[in-house]
């Protein structure tokens, strides 16, 4: 019912910045908490950040804290992840996700989300 499409990934040098976008379909997008995850080769999918339905609350994993900002524009059905000071270890496929009923700690785990995008590749060169 909800479709998510990430964009904005690419190749960037260490120390650079990227802003990822996630465009969502569906009339109920504005009611869904949203999250960003990433998955590096050979590793588990890792939580990065989540944002409440109205953008009033955010939470960041330690790996993203201080360098990343999650935001949303409900009028555009879009959630963003601004990433600064990128490092080679940030190289991964980045996914956005939407949650219908998740709250609290559930929004820091894959299982807290119901809809996922296809992912966008971020590669940070050294």
């Amino acid at each position: 019912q909800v479709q998510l499409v990430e964009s904005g990934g690419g190749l960037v040098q260490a120390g650079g910045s990227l802003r990822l976008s996630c465009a969502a379909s569906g009339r109920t997008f504005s009611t869904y908490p949203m999250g960003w995850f990433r998955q590096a080769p050979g590793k588990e999918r890792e939580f990065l950040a989540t944002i409440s339905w109205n953008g009033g609350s955010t939470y960041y994993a330690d790996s993203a804290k201080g360098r990343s900002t999650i935001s949303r524009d409900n009028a555009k059905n879009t959630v963003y992840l601004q990433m600064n000071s990128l490092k080679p270890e940030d190289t991964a496929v980045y996914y956005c996700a939407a949650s219908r009923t998740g709250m609290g700690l559930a929004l820091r785990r894959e299982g807290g989300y119901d809809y996922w995008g296809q992912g966008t590749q971020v590669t940070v060169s050294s």
Side-chain angles (χ1 to χ4, degrees), residues 1-4 25-35 50-53 72 97-104 106-107 109-116:
Q1 187 174 129
V2 174
Q3 295 183 71
L4 306 173
S25 66
R27 292 172 292 176
T28 58
F29 167 78
S30 63
T31 72
Y32 292 166
M34 300 289 294
T50 187
I51 187 167
S52 61
W53 71 271
R72 68 192 297 163
S99 177
R100 290 187 293 108
T101 61
M103 63 180 70
L107 296 175
R109 302 189 295 267
E110 291 181 61
Y113 295 85
D114 302 286
Y115 306 102
W116 294 83

Side-chain angles (χ1 to χ4, degrees), residues 40-112:
K43 296 187 177 181
E44 296 290 312
R45 190 165 296 186
E46 175 190 12
F47 166 77
L48 293 174
T50 187
I51 187 167
S52 61
W53 71 271
N54 64 353
S57 298
T58 59
Y59 180 84
Y60 297 90
D62 288 343
S63 60
K65 193 179 305 178
R67 298 191 297 128
S68 301
T69 302
I70 187 171
S71 61
R72 68 192 297 163
D73 186 339
N74 288 343
K76 297 180 179 179
N77 284 352
T78 302
V79 63
Y80 305 95
L81 184 68
Q82 176 71 42
M83 301 188 293
N84 302 320
S85 301
L86 286 164
K87 305 172 182 178
E89 52 262 46
D90 294 320
T91 296
V93 177
Y94 284 69
Y95 299 89
C96 67
S99 177
R100 290 187 293 108
T101 61
M103 63 180 70
L105 294 176
L107 296 175
R108 308 176 193 177
R109 302 189 295 267
E110 291 181 61

